[in-house]
Amino acid sequence: LNHLEKVNMAGFWAFLTQKMGKTFAKFLSKKATPLSITEARKLRYGENKSMKISEEGKMLIKKFEGCKLDSYRCSANVATIGYGHTKDVSDGDTCTQEEADQMLAEDLEEFEGYVDKLVTVDLTQNQRDALIAWTFNLGPKNLKSSTMLAELNAENYTKVPSEMKRWNKAGGKTLEGLIRRREAEGLLWEGKKW
């Protein structure tokens, strides 16, 4: 290659690394070899999809959901138990702490899937945790229809915290607890103490 071709190739690799991520550029720069399942998943779905919610993200959800071993009606009047678990819950249901922990683990896996499916841009661990916490509280339908998701997928990362904070109502009423929760999620998004 002559000097000009080398410069163009260097520019191409810089562009590729910036736009498509280091993992993909690294893959392209190697000789073709069979991929592990983890590598194939990262290439198909991106780095975010291999991340799990961190302990920090779980702590935020646990703090704002609280854990109740007897079913109750949340602010949206939905039967709830454990750490905000709502699937197949009826008034009068009870659970043990171990069952509450297991329901949370299963719910988190489900909500990670919603975020992974709908978000098309790369996220840091804090950003992903904040979105999972937000979606855990508000549901995947609200995530899918939100201006927040549209802004995020357009790579307007700085608009996400203010978009999160708009979702502070339940049953048509602004709730102080939701204001505090959205503030905490916005701070987590930014990697700040919440």
Side-chain angles (χ1 to χ4, degrees):
L1 296 174
N2 66 37
H3 177 69
L4 185 57
E5 289 171 326
K6 287 179 184 176
V7 169
N8 286 338
M9 285 303 291
F12 169 75
W13 285 111
F15 168 78
L16 186 62
T17 300
Q18 178 186 19
K19 289 295 183 189
M20 301 188 87
K22 292 178 184 173
T23 302
F24 189 64
K26 221 188 244 185
F27 168 73
L28 287 180
S29 67
K30 293 180 181 179
K31 291 181 181 175
T33 57
L35 297 175
S36 71
I37 292 172
T38 302
E39 289 171 322
R41 182 178 169 146
K42 284 181 183 178
L43 283 175
R44 183 169 181 197
Y45 300 109
E47 288 288 332
N48 297 340
K49 302 343 178 217
S50 64
M51 265 190 243
K52 293 291 185 190
I53 191 167
S54 72
E55 288 305 312
E56 185 80 8
K58 289 178 191 176
M59 283 175 34
L60 188 146
I61 290 170
K62 286 180 172 183
K63 174 185 169 131
F64 285 98
E65 291 294 338
C67 183
K68 296 191 179 175
L69 304 180
D70 296 319
S71 65
Y72 64 98
R73 291 282 170 167
C74 70
S75 57
N77 199 31
V78 176
T80 307
I81 199 164
Y83 295 102
H85 180 81
T86 58
K87 192 179 288 183
D88 300 323
V89 178
S90 300
D91 293 327
D93 286 354
T94 62
C95 69
T96 65
Q97 184 62 54
E98 293 77 24
E99 289 169 328
D101 293 338
Q102 182 60 37
M103 286 185 282
L104 177 62
E106 291 169 5
D107 288 346
L108 288 175
E109 191 171 307
E110 178 182 345
F111 283 88
E112 285 173 328
Y114 296 134
V115 169
D116 291 344
K117 180 180 177 185
L118 295 170
V119 174
T120 61
V121 296
D122 287 335
L123 299 172
T124 65
Q125 182 72 58
N126 286 344
Q127 291 168 340
R128 189 169 183 278
D129 289 350
L131 279 182
I132 292 167
W134 188 94
T135 306
F136 187 90
N137 183 238
L138 292 161
K141 288 180 184 175
N142 284 326
L143 175 62
K144 186 175 183 177
S145 67
S146 70
T147 305
M148 177 188 70
L149 181 66
E151 291 288 358
L152 174 58
N153 285 339
E155 299 186 14
N156 295 324
Y157 291 89
T158 58
K159 291 188 176 185
V160 172
S162 62
E163 290 294 328
M164 282 180 162
K165 292 174 188 175
R166 295 177 56 207
W167 294 77
N168 60 9
K169 294 177 179 59
K173 297 179 182 179
T174 301
L175 300 179
E176 193 60 38
L178 290 179
I179 291 171
R180 286 193 306 273
R181 184 173 185 152
R182 298 291 95 86
E183 179 70 24
E185 291 161 351
L187 290 169
L188 180 58
W189 172 271
E190 295 171 331
K192 298 177 180 173
K193 186 171 174 56
W194 49 271

